[in-house]
Amino acid sequence: MKYLLSEAQKDSYFQKGFLIIENLICKDDIRRLQLQSELIGDNKIDHVPVSSTQVEPEVNIESPIEKNLTLRKLYAIAIYDQIFWNHVVNEKIVDVISQLLETKDIKLYDDQLFMKNPEVGSEIYWHQDSASWTDIFPRDLITAWTALDDFTLENGCLKFIPGSHRFGTLGLDSDSRERKMERFLPLLKFKQWEIEDIELDSGSVSFHHSLLIHGSGKNLSTKRRRGYAAHYMRSLSWKDERVTNAPVMPKFCQVRGQSYENCV
Ligand SMILES: O=C(O)CCC(=O)C(=O)O
């Protein structure tokens, strides 16, 4: 193992549902990811298919904003792009995941590059990731979320509700915003549900549990706020085929260790 967590870091993750490691990724690697995200975001390379792109929901088609600035996010890109795949298998990140999941057998569930463009970069409302990834059990996947830019309150940094992962699945992702409010708001009123804003320097990585309630603000700055989220799970996780509302995913890729029969 290249990167060993202290007992205090592990305890903090289990208590709070997230762990921040500052400056985990070296400047050269971040620069490479920044350049590649601009090329992909500006549609200058063609190995990432259009099916991997999602446009901001509230963008007016008549708007004078250039098309590449309307991109909300790209997903499932590491399977097409070597630079992002190299990041997914970055030893330091996978070492952390391995210690937090307490296994050496790890697969990638999915990955997402959040572009959060200026002006149109929208808020991401409170949610739990496992409420969308309904068919994967156990519901303890971990997202390694790498800051490609500096993250501030102004440009819409991540927001976490520490400890919320310990309360199970609290609302389905398909719930309306009002319904989610109904479910989450009573929780937010307790003192222990204070919101933590996660301001980060580029190169820092935030690891969060798939049941942690989180979101991010609107981008009120004049520049893109790019964050790359890779979602990891145990190779021993299983997919419940009876679940009908789960996203259709490409084949899950092995990141470290081995795979198991009848598992993901
Ligand atoms: O980057 C963001 O703004 C939100 C990220 C997020 O919700 C996630 O990675 O699960």
Side-chain angles (χ1 to χ4, degrees):
M1 285 245 180
K2 257 195 175 169
Y3 195 92
L4 275 184
L5 291 176
S6 66
E7 286 310 310
Q9 283 174 307
K10 286 190 254 180
D11 284 352
S12 169
Y13 175 80
F14 294 122
Q15 290 296 321
K16 294 173 86 174
F18 68 91
L19 177 69
I20 308 298
I21 304 189
E22 282 169 21
N23 303 315
L24 185 65
I25 309 301
C26 70
K27 295 276 173 251
D28 283 351
D29 286 354
I30 288 297
R31 192 72 209 118
R32 219 167 281 131
L33 291 165
Q34 285 172 338
L35 287 174
Q36 195 68 353
S37 69
E38 287 309 292
L39 292 176
I40 297 175
D42 292 345
N43 225 352
K44 292 197 174 123
I45 43 183
D46 53 16
H47 56 260
V48 176
V50 179
S51 58
S52 278
T53 60
Q54 190 186 92
V55 172
E56 285 289 347
E58 282 164 27
V59 167
N60 178 352
I61 299 169
E62 306 301 319
S63 133
I65 298 170
E66 284 176 55
K67 183 143 184 352
N68 57 2
L69 289 181
T70 65
L71 253 192
R72 178 172 183 256
K73 66 175 181 181
L74 291 115
Y75 47 95
I77 55 176
I79 54 171
Y80 302 107
D81 187 84
Q82 192 61 45
I83 290 178
F84 278 95
W85 178 253
N86 290 348
H87 182 71
V88 163
V89 295
N90 177 306
E91 261 191 88
K92 287 189 273 183
I93 292 182
V94 184
D95 281 351
V96 173
I97 298 285
S98 168
Q99 291 166 84
L100 296 178
L101 284 179
E102 298 174 320
T103 176
K104 58 181 177 27
D105 301 318
I106 297 162
K107 286 196 172 186
L108 182 70
Y109 173 75
D110 193 13
D111 61 310
Q112 307 185 72
L113 173 60
F114 293 92
M115 299 304 271
K116 197 101 70 189
N117 282 299
E119 291 184 40
V120 294
S122 56
E123 172 194 29
I124 295 190
Y125 193 64
W126 294 116
H127 65 282
Q128 293 174 299
D129 295 333
S130 269
S132 312
W133 311 334
T134 40
D135 56 344
I136 305 294
F137 293 91
R139 289 183 166 163
D140 66 350
L141 296 83
I142 301 180
T143 294
W145 198 101
T146 304
L148 302 190
D149 297 301
D150 291 342
F151 276 59
T152 61
L153 263 178
E154 189 197 16
N155 69 12
C157 63
L158 287 171
K159 301 182 284 185
F160 292 150
I161 300 187
S164 51
H165 66 301
R166 286 184 272 142
F167 289 74
T169 315
L170 296 165
L172 289 176
D173 200 57
S174 54
D175 280 353
S176 66
R177 196 181 165 109
E178 290 67 32
R179 176 99 182 93
K180 273 193 199 157
M181 286 287 259
E182 245 171 61
R183 279 173 171 262
F184 292 158
L185 266 189
L187 299 172
L188 292 171
K189 283 186 188 139
F190 288 108
K191 196 144 180 48
Q192 69 264 38
W193 294 98
E194 275 167 5
I195 297 167
E196 220 168 294
D197 296 310
I198 310 295
E199 293 193 302
L200 295 174
D201 289 341
S202 70
S204 299
V205 183
S206 156
F207 295 85
H208 70 256
H209 190 287
S210 60
L211 287 173
L212 185 78
I213 302 176
H214 65 286
S216 68
K218 204 173 153 42
N219 185 356
L220 302 173
S221 78
T222 52
K223 294 199 200 118
R224 271 185 173 153
R225 186 233 69 175
R226 295 158 301 179
Y228 181 61
H231 313 295
Y232 300 86
M233 62 187 165
R234 308 155 189 284
S235 302
L236 270 171
S237 300
W238 68 94
K239 198 167 156 21
D240 186 341
E241 303 292 348
R242 292 165 303 180
V243 175
T244 52
N245 63 345
V248 179
M249 303 300 294
K251 189 176 174 323
F252 300 126
C253 296
Q254 193 77 44
V255 169
R256 181 177 284 180
Q258 65 173 100
S259 62
Y260 294 88
E261 216 177 316
N262 299 323
C263 296
V264 293

